[in-house]
Amino acid sequence: MADDRASLTSFLDYQRATLAMKCQGLTGEQLKRKAIPTSGLTLLGLVRHAASVERSWFRFALNAEDVRSLWPGQVDGTFAGTGP
């Protein structure tokens, strides 16, 4: 049994480690490749989505900070343009 904070931290650590493992050793082009041709889902899109969601929850939701998007376009796992 863990309290809410420990449970959330454990869950986030697991999700981060899993995503890092999936991306390990891949080139930038491989990270931008669609999972399947009919999908916009890419590993880079998932990394950007995870970063954006964590940032918004920790900075906006918990600290009431004014947070702008890190990347232009979608951050729902489908955008993996050639931007920064």
Side-chain angles (χ1 to χ4, degrees), residues 29-80:
E29 288 305 312
Q30 289 171 319
L31 291 170
K32 294 176 192 176
R33 190 175 300 149
K34 294 178 182 181
I36 58 173
T38 57
S39 172
L41 182 66
T42 67
L43 285 172
L44 178 58
L46 287 175
V47 169
R48 289 180 172 191
H49 170 72
S52 179
V53 169
E54 280 196 38
R55 181 174 180 262
S56 67
W57 270 102
F58 288 113
R59 294 186 67 192
F60 176 74
L62 297 178
N63 288 340
E65 294 178 34
D66 182 24
V67 181
R68 290 193 165 84
S69 178
L70 290 172
W71 300 282
Q74 299 177 2
V75 291
D76 62 358
T78 62
F79 179 79

